[in-house]
Amino acid sequence: MSEAQAELRALIAGYWKPQAITAAARLGLSDACDGPTSAGELATRIGADPLALHRFCRALAALGLLDDLGEGRFALTETGARLRGDHPESLKGM
């Protein structure tokens, strides 16, 4: 891979991360996740498509906001908990 291609890939990858965090905050995903929860249950709680939310949760796990517990279950990480509205160090509004 050339240096220019690597640089462009880094720029492209850098774009989706803040968009994913913003989407998670707007959906209230962290507020809906109260312990290990299946993607299907989270989808019901926030009114999302279960399969799409499962893929989205895997992306959030790659960012370190969720732990992928396997079998479609996820839990908030310490970082992800800061997207909860009731967290004392919440950054949800940001």
Side-chain angles (χ1 to χ4, degrees):
M1 178 183 321
S2 71
E3 185 177 331
Q5 187 178 20
E7 184 178 333
L8 184 57
R9 282 179 173 263
L11 289 170
I12 292 168
Y15 179 74
W16 74 269
K17 294 173 185 179
Q19 296 300 316
I21 295 166
T22 299
R26 287 186 179 167
L27 286 169
L29 187 66
S30 293
D31 293 309
C33 190
D34 56 356
T37 311
S38 72
E41 179 62 30
L42 285 172
T44 299
R45 292 177 188 176
I46 65 172
D49 176 78
L51 294 176
L53 190 65
H54 182 261
R55 290 188 302 271
F56 185 54
C57 286
R58 289 180 52 214
L60 294 175
L63 293 177
L65 299 177
L66 294 176
D67 280 328
D68 186 342
L69 305 174
E71 298 181 8
R73 296 178 58 76
F74 297 90
L76 285 175
T77 63
E78 187 175 326
T79 302
R82 281 162 175 75
L83 289 178
R84 290 182 60 92
D86 63 354
H87 193 284
E89 296 177 2
S90 178
L91 296 175
K92 183 177 181 175
M94 201 174 161

Coordinates of all heavy atoms in Angstrom, one line a residue:
M1 N 0.8 -1.2 0.0 CA 0.0 0.0 0.0 C 0.9 1.2 0.0 O 1.8 1.3 0.8 CB -0.9 0.0 1.2 CG -1.8 1.2 1.3 SD -2.8 1.3 2.8 CE -3.4 -0.4 3.1
S2 N 0.6 2.2 -0.9 CA 1.4 3.4 -1.0 C 1.1 4.3 0.2 O 0.1 4.2 0.9 CB 1.1 4.1 -2.3 OG -0.2 4.7 -2.2
E3 N 2.0 5.2 0.5 CA 1.8 6.2 1.6 C 0.6 7.0 1.3 O -0.2 7.3 2.3 CB 3.0 7.1 1.7 CG 3.0 8.0 2.9 CD 4.2 8.8 3.0 OE1 5.3 8.4 2.6 OE2 4.1 10.0 3.5
A4 N 0.3 7.4 0.1 CA -0.9 8.2 -0.2 C -2.2 7.4 0.1 O -3.1 8.0 0.6 CB -0.8 8.7 -1.6
Q5 N -2.2 6.2 -0.3 CA -3.3 5.3 -0.1 C -3.6 5.1 1.4 O -4.7 5.2 1.9 CB -3.2 4.0 -0.8 CG -4.4 3.1 -0.7 CD -4.2 1.8 -1.5 OE1 -3.1 1.4 -1.7 NE2 -5.3 1.2 -1.8
A6 N -2.5 4.9 2.2 CA -2.6 4.7 3.6 C -3.1 6.0 4.3 O -4.0 6.0 5.2 CB -1.3 4.4 4.2
E7 N -2.7 7.2 3.8 CA -3.1 8.4 4.3 C -4.6 8.6 4.1 O -5.4 9.0 4.9 CB -2.3 9.6 3.7 CG -2.7 10.9 4.3 CD -1.9 12.0 3.7 OE1 -0.7 11.8 3.3 OE2 -2.3 13.2 3.7
L8 N -5.1 8.3 2.8 CA -6.5 8.5 2.5 C -7.3 7.5 3.3 O -8.4 7.9 3.8 CB -6.7 8.2 1.0 CG -8.1 8.5 0.5 CD1 -8.6 9.9 0.8 CD2 -8.1 8.2 -1.0
R9 N -6.9 6.3 3.5 CA -7.6 5.3 4.3 C -7.8 5.8 5.7 O -8.8 5.7 6.3 CB -6.9 4.0 4.3 CG -7.1 3.1 3.1 CD -6.3 1.8 3.2 NE -6.6 1.0 2.1 CZ -7.5 0.0 2.1 NH1 -8.2 -0.3 3.3 NH2 -7.8 -0.8 1.1
A10 N -6.7 6.4 6.3 CA -6.8 6.9 7.6 C -7.8 8.1 7.7 O -8.6 8.2 8.7 CB -5.5 7.4 8.1
L11 N -7.9 8.9 6.7 CA -8.8 10.0 6.7 C -10.3 9.5 6.6 O -11.2 10.0 7.3 CB -8.5 11.0 5.5 CG -7.3 11.8 5.7 CD1 -7.0 12.5 4.3 CD2 -7.5 12.8 6.8
I12 N -10.5 8.5 5.7 CA -11.8 7.9 5.6 C -12.2 7.2 6.9 O -13.4 7.4 7.3 CB -11.8 6.9 4.4 CG1 -11.7 7.7 3.1 CG2 -13.1 6.1 4.4 CD1 -11.4 6.8 1.9
A13 N -11.4 6.5 7.5 CA -11.7 5.8 8.7 C -11.9 6.8 9.8 O -12.8 6.5 10.7 CB -10.6 4.8 9.1
G14 N -11.2 7.9 9.8 CA -11.4 8.9 10.9 C -12.8 9.5 10.8 O -13.3 10.0 11.8
Y15 N -13.4 9.5 9.7 CA -14.7 10.2 9.5 C -15.8 9.4 10.2 O -16.7 10.0 10.8 CB -15.0 10.4 8.0 CG -16.3 11.1 7.8 CD1 -16.5 12.4 8.0 CD2 -17.4 10.4 7.3 CE1 -17.7 13.1 7.8 CE2 -18.6 11.0 7.1 CZ -18.8 12.3 7.4 OH -20.0 12.9 7.2
W16 N -15.9 8.1 10.0 CA -17.0 7.3 10.5 C -17.1 7.3 12.0 O -18.1 7.1 12.6 CB -17.1 5.9 9.9 CG -16.0 5.0 10.4 CD1 -14.8 4.7 10.0 CD2 -16.2 4.1 11.6 NE1 -14.2 3.8 10.7 CE2 -15.0 3.4 11.7 CE3 -17.2 3.9 12.5 CZ2 -14.8 2.4 12.7 CZ3 -17.0 2.9 13.5 CH2 -15.8 2.2 13.6
K17 N -15.9 7.4 12.7 CA -15.9 7.3 14.2 C -16.8 8.3 14.9 O -17.6 8.0 15.7 CB -14.5 7.2 14.7 CG -13.7 6.0 14.2 CD -12.3 6.1 14.5 CE -11.5 4.9 13.9 NZ -10.1 4.9 14.2
P18 N -16.5 9.6 14.6 CA -17.4 10.6 15.3 C -18.9 10.5 14.9 O -19.8 10.8 15.7 CB -16.8 11.9 14.9 CG -15.9 11.7 13.8 CD -15.5 10.3 13.9
Q19 N -19.1 10.1 13.6 CA -20.5 9.9 13.2 C -21.2 8.8 14.0 O -22.3 8.9 14.3 CB -20.5 9.6 11.7 CG -20.0 10.8 10.8 CD -20.8 12.1 11.0 OE1 -22.0 12.0 11.1 NE2 -20.1 13.2 11.2
A20 N -20.5 7.7 14.2 CA -21.0 6.6 14.9 C -21.3 7.0 16.4 O -22.3 6.6 17.0 CB -20.1 5.4 14.9
I21 N -20.4 7.7 17.0 CA -20.6 8.2 18.4 C -21.8 9.1 18.5 O -22.6 9.0 19.4 CB -19.3 8.8 18.9 CG1 -18.2 7.8 19.0 CG2 -19.6 9.5 20.3 CD1 -16.8 8.4 19.2
T22 N -21.9 10.0 17.5 CA -23.1 10.9 17.5 C -24.4 10.2 17.3 O -25.3 10.4 18.0 CB -22.9 11.9 16.3 OG1 -21.7 12.7 16.6 CG2 -24.1 12.9 16.2
A23 N -24.4 9.2 16.4 CA -25.6 8.4 16.2 C -26.0 7.6 17.5 O -27.1 7.5 17.9 CB -25.4 7.4 15.1
A24 N -25.0 7.1 18.2 CA -25.2 6.3 19.4 C -25.8 7.2 20.5 O -26.8 6.9 21.2 CB -24.0 5.7 19.9
A25 N -25.3 8.4 20.6 CA -25.8 9.4 21.6 C -27.3 9.8 21.2 O -28.1 9.9 22.1 CB -24.9 10.6 21.6
R26 N -27.5 10.1 19.9 CA -28.8 10.5 19.5 C -29.9 9.4 19.7 O -31.1 9.7 20.0 CB -28.8 11.0 18.1 CG -28.1 12.4 18.0 CD -28.2 12.9 16.6 NE -27.6 14.2 16.5 CZ -27.3 14.9 15.4 NH1 -27.6 14.3 14.2 NH2 -26.7 16.0 15.5
L27 N -29.5 8.2 19.5 CA -30.4 7.1 19.6 C -30.7 6.8 21.1 O -31.6 6.1 21.4 CB -29.8 5.8 18.9 CG -29.9 5.8 17.4 CD1 -29.0 4.6 16.9 CD2 -31.3 5.7 16.9
G28 N -29.8 7.3 22.0 CA -30.0 6.9 23.4 C -29.5 5.5 23.7 O -30.0 4.9 24.7
L29 N -28.6 5.0 22.9 CA -28.2 3.6 23.0 C -27.6 3.4 24.4 O -27.9 2.4 25.1 CB -27.2 3.3 21.9 CG -26.7 1.8 21.8 CD1 -27.9 1.0 21.4 CD2 -25.6 1.7 20.8
S30 N -26.7 4.2 24.9 CA -26.1 4.0 26.2 C -27.1 4.1 27.3 O -27.0 3.3 28.3 CB -25.0 5.1 26.4 OG -23.9 4.9 25.6
D31 N -28.1 5.0 27.2 CA -29.1 5.0 28.2 C -30.0 3.8 28.2 O -30.5 3.4 29.3 CB -30.0 6.2 27.9 CG -29.3 7.6 28.1 OD1 -28.7 7.7 29.2 OD2 -29.4 8.4 27.2
A32 N -30.1 3.1 27.1 CA -30.9 1.9 27.0 C -30.2 0.7 27.4 O -30.8 -0.4 27.7 CB -31.4 1.7 25.6
C33 N -28.9 0.7 27.5 CA -28.0 -0.4 27.8 C -27.7 -0.4 29.3 O -26.9 0.3 29.8 CB -26.8 -0.4 27.0 SG -25.8 -1.9 27.1
D34 N -28.5 -1.2 30.1 CA -28.3 -1.3 31.6 C -27.8 -2.7 32.0 O -28.5 -3.5 32.5 CB -29.6 -0.9 32.3 CG -30.8 -1.8 31.8 OD1 -30.6 -2.7 30.9 OD2 -31.8 -1.7 32.4
G35 N -26.6 -2.9 31.6 CA -26.0 -4.2 31.9 C -25.9 -5.0 30.6 O -26.3 -4.5 29.5
P36 N -25.4 -6.2 30.6 CA -25.4 -7.1 29.4 C -26.7 -7.2 28.8 O -27.7 -7.6 29.5 CB -24.8 -8.4 29.9 CG -24.1 -8.1 31.2 CD -24.8 -6.9 31.8
T37 N -26.9 -6.8 27.5 CA -28.1 -6.8 26.8 C -28.0 -7.2 25.4 O -27.0 -6.9 24.8 CB -28.7 -5.3 26.8 OG1 -28.6 -4.8 28.2 CG2 -30.1 -5.2 26.4
S38 N -29.0 -7.9 24.9 CA -28.9 -8.4 23.5 C -29.2 -7.2 22.6 O -29.9 -6.3 23.0 CB -29.9 -9.5 23.3 OG -31.2 -9.0 23.3
A39 N -28.6 -7.3 21.4 CA -28.9 -6.2 20.4 C -30.4 -6.2 20.1 O -30.9 -5.1 19.9 CB -28.1 -6.5 19.1
G40 N -31.0 -7.3 20.1 CA -32.5 -7.4 19.9 C -33.3 -6.6 20.9 O -34.2 -5.8 20.6
E41 N -32.9 -6.8 22.2 CA -33.6 -6.1 23.3 C -33.3 -4.6 23.2 O -34.2 -3.7 23.4 CB -33.1 -6.6 24.6 CG -33.7 -5.9 25.8 CD -35.3 -6.0 25.9 OE1 -35.8 -7.0 25.4 OE2 -35.9 -5.0 26.3
L42 N -32.0 -4.2 22.9 CA -31.7 -2.8 22.7 C -32.5 -2.2 21.5 O -33.0 -1.1 21.6 CB -30.2 -2.6 22.4 CG -29.3 -2.8 23.6 CD1 -27.8 -2.8 23.1 CD2 -29.5 -1.7 24.6
A43 N -32.7 -2.9 20.5 CA -33.4 -2.5 19.3 C -34.9 -2.2 19.7 O -35.4 -1.2 19.3 CB -33.4 -3.5 18.2
T44 N -35.4 -3.1 20.5 CA -36.8 -2.9 21.0 C -36.9 -1.6 21.8 O -37.8 -0.8 21.7 CB -37.3 -4.1 21.8 OG1 -37.3 -5.2 20.9 CG2 -38.7 -3.9 22.3
R45 N -35.9 -1.4 22.7 CA -36.0 -0.3 23.6 C -35.8 1.1 22.9 O -36.4 2.1 23.3 CB -34.8 -0.4 24.6 CG -35.0 -1.5 25.6 CD -33.8 -1.6 26.5 NE -34.0 -2.8 27.4 CZ -33.0 -3.2 28.2 NH1 -31.9 -2.5 28.4 NH2 -33.2 -4.3 28.9
I46 N -35.1 1.1 21.8 CA -34.8 2.4 21.1 C -35.6 2.5 19.8 O -35.5 3.5 19.1 CB -33.3 2.7 20.9 CG1 -32.7 1.7 20.0 CG2 -32.6 2.8 22.2 CD1 -31.3 2.1 19.6
G47 N -36.3 1.5 19.4 CA -37.1 1.5 18.2 C -36.2 1.4 16.9 O -36.5 2.1 16.0
A48 N -35.3 0.5 16.9 CA -34.4 0.3 15.8 C -34.5 -1.1 15.2 O -35.1 -2.0 15.8 CB -32.9 0.5 16.2
D49 N -34.0 -1.3 14.0 CA -34.0 -2.6 13.4 C -33.0 -3.5 14.1 O -31.8 -3.1 14.2 CB -33.6 -2.4 11.9 CG -33.5 -3.8 11.2 OD1 -34.6 -4.3 10.9 OD2 -32.4 -4.2 11.0
P50 N -33.4 -4.7 14.5 CA -32.4 -5.5 15.3 C -31.2 -5.9 14.6 O -30.1 -5.9 15.1 CB -33.3 -6.8 15.6 CG -34.7 -6.3 15.5 CD -34.7 -5.3 14.4
L51 N -31.3 -6.3 13.3 CA -30.1 -6.7 12.5 C -29.1 -5.5 12.3 O -27.9 -5.6 12.5 CB -30.4 -7.3 11.2 CG -31.2 -8.7 11.3 CD1 -31.6 -9.2 10.0 CD2 -30.3 -9.7 12.1
A52 N -29.7 -4.4 12.0 CA -28.9 -3.2 11.7 C -28.2 -2.7 13.1 O -27.0 -2.4 13.1 CB -29.7 -2.0 11.2
L53 N -29.0 -2.8 14.2 CA -28.4 -2.4 15.4 C -27.3 -3.3 15.9 O -26.3 -2.9 16.5 CB -29.5 -2.3 16.5 CG -29.0 -1.6 17.8 CD1 -28.6 -0.2 17.6 CD2 -30.0 -1.7 18.9
H54 N -27.5 -4.6 15.6 CA -26.4 -5.6 15.9 C -25.1 -5.2 15.2 O -24.0 -5.2 15.8 CB -26.8 -7.0 15.6 CG -25.8 -8.0 15.9 ND1 -24.9 -8.5 15.0 CD2 -25.5 -8.6 17.1 CE1 -24.1 -9.4 15.7 NE2 -24.4 -9.4 16.9
R55 N -25.2 -4.9 14.0 CA -24.0 -4.4 13.2 C -23.4 -3.2 13.8 O -22.2 -3.0 13.9 CB -24.3 -4.3 11.7 CG -24.6 -5.6 11.0 CD -24.7 -5.4 9.5 NE -25.7 -4.5 9.1 CZ -27.0 -4.8 8.9 NH1 -27.4 -6.1 9.0 NH2 -27.9 -3.9 8.5
F56 N -24.3 -2.2 14.1 CA -23.9 -1.0 14.7 C -23.2 -1.2 16.1 O -22.2 -0.6 16.4 CB -25.1 0.0 14.8 CG -24.7 1.4 15.3 CD1 -23.8 2.1 14.6 CD2 -25.4 1.9 16.4 CE1 -23.5 3.4 15.1 CE2 -25.1 3.2 16.8 CZ -24.1 3.9 16.2
C57 N -23.7 -2.1 16.9 CA -23.1 -2.4 18.2 C -21.7 -3.0 18.0 O -20.8 -2.7 18.8 CB -24.0 -3.3 19.0 SG -25.5 -2.5 19.7
R58 N -21.6 -3.8 17.0 CA -20.2 -4.3 16.7 C -19.3 -3.2 16.3 O -18.1 -3.2 16.7 CB -20.3 -5.4 15.6 CG -21.0 -6.7 16.1 CD -21.1 -7.8 15.1 NE -19.9 -8.1 14.5 CZ -19.7 -8.4 13.2 NH1 -20.8 -8.6 12.4 NH2 -18.6 -8.7 12.7
A59 N -19.7 -2.2 15.6 CA -18.9 -1.1 15.2 C -18.5 -0.3 16.5 O -17.4 0.1 16.7 CB -19.6 -0.2 14.2
L60 N -19.5 -0.1 17.4 CA -19.2 0.6 18.6 C -18.3 -0.2 19.5 O -17.5 0.4 20.3 CB -20.5 0.9 19.4 CG -21.5 1.9 18.7 CD1 -22.8 2.0 19.4 CD2 -20.9 3.2 18.5
A61 N -18.4 -1.5 19.5 CA -17.4 -2.3 20.2 C -16.0 -2.1 19.7 O -15.0 -2.1 20.4 CB -17.8 -3.8 20.1
A62 N -15.9 -2.0 18.3 CA -14.6 -1.7 17.7 C -14.0 -0.4 18.2 O -12.8 -0.2 18.3 CB -14.6 -1.7 16.2
L63 N -14.9 0.6 18.6 CA -14.4 1.9 19.1 C -14.2 1.9 20.6 O -13.7 2.8 21.1 CB -15.5 2.9 18.7 CG -15.7 3.3 17.3 CD1 -16.8 4.3 17.1 CD2 -14.4 3.8 16.7
G64 N -14.5 0.8 21.2 CA -14.3 0.7 22.7 C -15.5 1.2 23.5 O -15.3 1.5 24.7
L65 N -16.6 1.5 22.9 CA -17.8 2.0 23.6 C -18.6 0.9 24.2 O -19.3 1.1 25.2 CB -18.6 2.9 22.7 CG -17.9 4.1 22.2 CD1 -18.8 4.9 21.3 CD2 -17.4 5.0 23.3
L66 N -18.6 -0.3 23.6 CA -19.3 -1.5 24.0 C -18.4 -2.6 24.1 O -17.4 -2.7 23.3 CB -20.5 -1.8 23.1 CG -21.6 -0.9 22.9 CD1 -22.6 -1.3 21.8 CD2 -22.4 -0.7 24.2
D67 N -18.7 -3.6 25.0 CA -18.0 -4.9 25.0 C -18.9 -5.8 24.2 O -20.1 -5.9 24.5 CB -17.8 -5.4 26.4 CG -16.6 -4.7 27.1 OD1 -15.6 -4.4 26.4 OD2 -16.7 -4.6 28.3
D68 N -18.3 -6.6 23.3 CA -19.1 -7.6 22.6 C -18.9 -8.9 23.4 O -17.8 -9.5 23.5 CB -18.5 -7.8 21.2 CG -19.3 -8.7 20.3 OD1 -20.1 -9.5 20.9 OD2 -19.1 -8.7 19.1
L69 N -20.0 -9.3 24.0 CA -19.9 -10.5 24.9 C -20.2 -11.8 24.2 O -20.2 -12.8 24.8 CB -21.0 -10.3 26.0 CG -20.8 -9.0 26.8 CD1 -22.0 -8.8 27.8 CD2 -19.5 -8.9 27.6
G70 N -20.4 -11.7 22.9 CA -20.8 -12.9 22.1 C -22.2 -13.2 22.1 O -23.0 -12.6 23.0
E71 N -22.7 -14.0 21.2 CA -24.1 -14.4 21.1 C -25.0 -13.2 21.0 O -26.1 -13.3 21.6 CB -24.4 -15.3 22.3 CG -23.6 -16.6 22.3 CD -24.0 -17.6 23.4 OE1 -25.0 -17.3 24.1 OE2 -23.3 -18.6 23.6
G72 N -24.6 -12.1 20.4 CA -25.4 -11.0 20.2 C -25.6 -10.1 21.4 O -26.5 -9.2 21.4
R73 N -24.8 -10.3 22.4 CA -25.0 -9.5 23.7 C -23.9 -8.5 23.8 O -22.7 -8.8 23.5 CB -25.0 -10.4 24.9 CG -26.2 -11.4 24.8 CD -26.3 -12.3 26.0 NE -26.3 -11.7 27.3 CZ -27.4 -11.1 27.9 NH1 -28.5 -11.1 27.2 NH2 -27.3 -10.6 29.1
F74 N -24.2 -7.3 24.3 CA -23.3 -6.2 24.5 C -23.5 -5.6 25.9 O -24.5 -5.6 26.5 CB -23.5 -5.2 23.4 CG -23.3 -5.7 22.0 CD1 -24.3 -6.3 21.3 CD2 -22.0 -5.6 21.4 CE1 -24.1 -6.8 20.0 CE2 -21.8 -6.1 20.2 CZ -22.9 -6.7 19.5
A75 N -22.4 -4.9 26.3 CA -22.4 -4.2 27.6 C -21.6 -2.9 27.4 O -20.7 -2.9 26.6 CB -21.8 -5.0 28.7
L76 N -22.0 -1.9 28.1 CA -21.3 -0.6 28.0 C -19.9 -0.8 28.6 O -19.7 -1.5 29.7 CB -22.0 0.5 28.8 CG -23.2 1.1 28.2 CD1 -23.9 2.0 29.2 CD2 -22.9 1.8 26.9
T77 N -18.9 -0.1 28.1 CA -17.6 0.0 28.7 C -17.6 1.3 29.5 O -18.6 2.0 29.5 CB -16.5 0.2 27.6 OG1 -16.7 1.4 26.9 CG2 -16.5 -1.0 26.7
E78 N -16.6 1.5 30.3 CA -16.5 2.7 31.1 C -16.6 4.0 30.2 O -17.2 4.9 30.5 CB -15.1 2.7 31.8 CG -15.0 3.8 32.8 CD -13.7 3.7 33.7 OE1 -13.3 2.6 34.0 OE2 -13.2 4.7 34.0
T79 N -15.9 3.9 29.0 CA -16.0 5.0 28.1 C -17.4 5.2 27.5 O -17.9 6.3 27.5 CB -15.0 4.7 26.9 OG1 -13.7 4.6 27.4 CG2 -15.0 5.9 25.9
G80 N -18.0 4.1 27.1 CA -19.4 4.2 26.6 C -20.4 4.7 27.6 O -21.4 5.3 27.2
A81 N -20.2 4.4 28.8 CA -21.1 4.9 29.9 C -21.2 6.4 29.9 O -22.2 7.0 30.4 CB -20.7 4.3 31.2
R82 N -20.1 7.0 29.5 CA -20.1 8.5 29.5 C -21.0 9.1 28.4 O -21.2 10.3 28.3 CB -18.7 9.0 29.4 CG -18.0 8.9 30.7 CD -16.5 9.0 30.6 NE -15.9 9.0 32.0 CZ -15.8 7.9 32.8 NH1 -16.3 6.8 32.4 NH2 -15.3 8.0 34.0
L83 N -21.7 8.3 27.6 CA -22.7 8.8 26.7 C -24.1 8.7 27.3 O -25.1 9.0 26.7 CB -22.7 8.0 25.4 CG -21.5 8.3 24.5 CD1 -21.5 7.4 23.2 CD2 -21.4 9.7 24.1
R84 N -24.2 8.2 28.6 CA -25.5 8.1 29.3 C -25.8 9.5 29.8 O -24.9 10.3 30.2 CB -25.4 7.2 30.5 CG -25.3 5.7 30.1 CD -25.3 4.8 31.3 NE -26.5 5.0 32.1 CZ -27.6 4.3 32.0 NH1 -27.6 3.3 31.1 NH2 -28.6 4.5 32.7
G85 N -27.1 9.9 29.7 CA -27.5 11.2 30.2 C -27.3 11.4 31.7 O -27.2 12.5 32.2
D86 N -27.4 10.3 32.4 CA -27.3 10.4 33.9 C -25.9 10.1 34.5 O -25.8 10.1 35.7 CB -28.3 9.4 34.5 CG -28.0 7.9 34.2 OD1 -27.1 7.7 33.4 OD2 -28.7 7.0 34.7
H87 N -24.9 10.0 33.6 CA -23.6 9.8 34.1 C -23.0 11.1 34.6 O -23.2 12.2 34.0 CB -22.7 9.3 33.0 CG -21.4 8.7 33.5 ND1 -20.3 9.5 33.9 CD2 -21.0 7.4 33.7 CE1 -19.3 8.8 34.3 NE2 -19.7 7.5 34.2
P88 N -22.3 11.1 35.8 CA -21.8 12.4 36.3 C -20.8 13.1 35.4 O -20.6 14.3 35.5 CB -21.2 12.0 37.7 CG -21.2 10.5 37.7 CD -22.1 10.0 36.7
E89 N -20.1 12.3 34.6 CA -19.2 12.8 33.6 C -19.7 12.7 32.2 O -18.9 12.5 31.2 CB -17.8 12.1 33.8 CG -17.2 12.3 35.1 CD -15.9 11.6 35.3 OE1 -15.4 10.9 34.4 OE2 -15.3 11.6 36.4
S90 N -21.0 12.8 32.0 CA -21.6 12.6 30.7 C -21.1 13.6 29.6 O -20.9 14.8 29.9 CB -23.1 12.8 30.8 OG -23.7 12.6 29.5
L91 N -20.8 13.1 28.4 CA -20.5 13.9 27.3 C -21.5 13.7 26.2 O -21.3 14.0 25.0 CB -19.1 13.5 26.7 CG -17.9 13.7 27.7 CD1 -16.7 13.1 27.1 CD2 -17.8 15.2 28.0
K92 N -22.7 13.2 26.6 CA -23.8 12.9 25.6 C -24.1 14.2 24.8 O -24.3 14.1 23.6 CB -25.0 12.4 26.4 CG -26.1 12.0 25.4 CD -27.3 11.4 26.2 CE -28.4 11.0 25.2 NZ -29.4 10.3 25.9
G93 N -24.2 15.3 25.4 CA -24.6 16.5 24.7 C -23.6 17.1 23.8 O -23.9 17.9 22.9
M94 N -22.4 16.6 23.9 CA -21.3 17.1 23.1 C -21.4 16.6 21.7 O -21.0 17.1 20.7 CB -20.0 16.7 23.7 CG -18.8 17.5 23.3 SD -17.4 17.1 24.3 CE -16.1 17.7 23.2

